[in-house]
Structure formats: C-alpha cells, structure tokens
Amino acid sequence: MGYHFIERTAVPAWGPQQGEPLVAAGTVAGAMDASFSNTSTLEIFRLPASDDTAGALAAAGQAEAAARFQRLAWSAHGAQALGVLAGGLENGDVTFWDPQAILDGGKDAVLHTSSAHTGAVCGLEFNPQQPGLMASGATNGEVFVWDIVSEYKSHAAGARSSRMENVTDLAWNNQVQHILVTASNSGALVVWDLRQHREIMALNSAGNAIGTARGGASAVAWNPASATQLVSAS
C-alpha cells in the first residue's frame, strides 16, 4: 500500500469528479509554515494511479489568493471541465476559481470574487443536492447563499439572527435541499428555511437553553440518514 502526503499547512478539498483523483489545498489562515511566508496559494495535487509509490506529492498547478483560507469547497457544477473551487478567506472575500485553469498554469483562473462579507468566512459549503448553490457564513452573523449559475449572485439567507455572533461552520441538510444550519461562537445552532428566507429554529450546542452556552460551536453536521438529526462540536 502506498503512502502519500502533501507538505502544506493548508485547508483541503477533494475534487468531485469520478475519474482522476484530485485534491485542492489552500494556505490556511492563522498558521505559519516552515518558510514563514505570509503569502496565500491555492494548489491542486494529482494522486498517483498506482498504490506502489510513496512520498510527498508535488503540486500539479497553483494560483495566488488575496488572503489565506478559512474554508475551501469544490463543486462539480459549472461550465468548467472540472467544476468550480470556492474559497472562504480570512479577509472576508469569497473567491471562485476554475480548477482546470489552475492546472493549465493559473492564468485567468479566478472566475469571480466578492467582498460581500465583512469578516473572515468560516462557513462554506456547496449544496449536495443542488451543486450550483453554495452557502457562506462569516462574522456578525452573516449568512449568504450563492448561485454560481446566475453569475455568482448572492442573497442573505434571511434577517440576521440575534442568536448568533460569528458563524463558525455551516451545513446543508442532506435530504431537504432548502434547509441549512449554521453554528456560531455564541454556542447557538440556527436552522434556516431558504424557501421562506428566515430562521425557523435555534438550538444550543451545549444542550441548554439559548444564552447559557459555556462555549461556542466550532463544527456542525447533519445525519446523512435523517433530515431531523444533527451533531455539533465545541
């Protein structure tokens, strides 16, 4: 069995295509690498077809980013051959890249960049049932939904929730495509109905009443087999 690794301090994302296995890696925010560089790079790595080899992988392509990454997601949707890569950056930007253009040398790889968020984008995920839709969450309880088919237009998930401060993570429901949950540093988990464009439920990650959480929620995920169960971590 081969053992391969990527020598980067980075946020990873698997390529969604069924053929050649690809992994994207964006320089992670809040960490210093061995070179002490303050630059940010988005790289794509090809995994070897043979399991008999081992060692560090070299990047097959790279592109520069305006800031370091908090989140990275890859959708098969879009007109591009390898779909679309989206990054949530520490400066509040949400940037979309063409993965094929990165592999071809990085020129004209950026498809769209938005500064709609006012702070670090710590929640980012494509809808598993509608891969042309993506949600992002950031500071000040900001939650946006993006349509990569309609020229990357975005709109708020609803009025800002008084339960949340900074969004730390988010997840689409795996069975009900218009339901989204966001986690925050206040400890609140807010469930959104995007058809109604509003918050429909707020839970506390500590299992207590809202406002009594001891700490924030850092991660949240739906049960793939149940539309009504989710798990959070602090």
Side-chain angles (χ1 to χ4, degrees):
M1 178 180 294
Y3 172 71
H4 305 281
F5 55 91
I6 297 171
E7 293 181 315
R8 301 290 189 275
T9 305
V11 178
W14 280 102
Q17 56 280 340
Q18 297 296 315
E20 181 182 27
L22 299 172
V23 175
T27 308
V28 69
M32 188 68 68
D33 61 20
S35 67
F36 297 98
S37 171
N38 59 2
T39 61
S40 179
T41 306
L42 175 59
E43 299 173 288
I44 296 179
F45 297 81
R46 287 190 171 99
L47 274 65
S50 173
D51 288 337
D52 298 330
T53 59
L57 297 177
Q62 68 177 45
E64 297 301 312
R68 294 197 167 196
F69 289 76
Q70 296 281 3
R71 292 287 187 270
L72 185 63
W74 196 333
S75 172
H77 202 81
Q80 296 71 33
L82 295 178
V84 176
L85 265 168
L89 308 184
E90 62 181 345
N91 66 348
D93 285 358
V94 174
T95 301
F96 299 87
W97 286 270
D98 177 354
Q100 186 62 62
I102 294 176
L103 290 172
D104 291 341
K107 185 179 180 180
D108 300 324
V110 174
L111 298 169
H112 180 77
T113 296
S114 172
S115 300
H117 286 295
T118 59
V121 182
C122 294
L124 189 80
E125 185 175 274
F126 284 101
N127 190 314
Q129 299 180 76
Q130 291 185 287
L133 293 180
M134 187 191 78
S136 63
T139 56
N140 300 319
E142 298 168 348
V143 183
F144 294 140
V145 177
W146 305 77
D147 186 346
I148 67 173
V149 177
S150 300
E151 299 179 344
Y152 304 94
K153 294 180 180 178
S154 66
H155 65 269
R160 291 189 186 181
S161 173
S162 61
R163 312 289 191 180
M164 297 194 305
E165 295 177 9
N166 300 332
V167 175
T168 55
D169 196 17
L170 56 76
W172 291 96
N173 191 290
N174 294 287
Q175 297 189 26
V176 186
Q177 62 186 16
H178 59 275
I179 298 297
L180 177 77
V181 64
T182 52
S184 77
N185 65 336
S186 66
L189 305 175
V190 175
V191 180
W192 304 84
D193 185 327
L194 299 180
R195 284 185 178 174
Q196 301 182 43
H197 301 288
R198 68 180 182 89
E199 167 189 344
I200 58 171
M201 184 183 299
L203 307 170
N204 189 279
S205 62
N208 300 319
I210 292 296
T212 63
R214 296 179 182 176
S218 62
V220 64
W222 291 97
N223 182 343
S226 173
T228 60
Q229 294 180 346
L230 55 81
V231 61
S232 67
S234 59

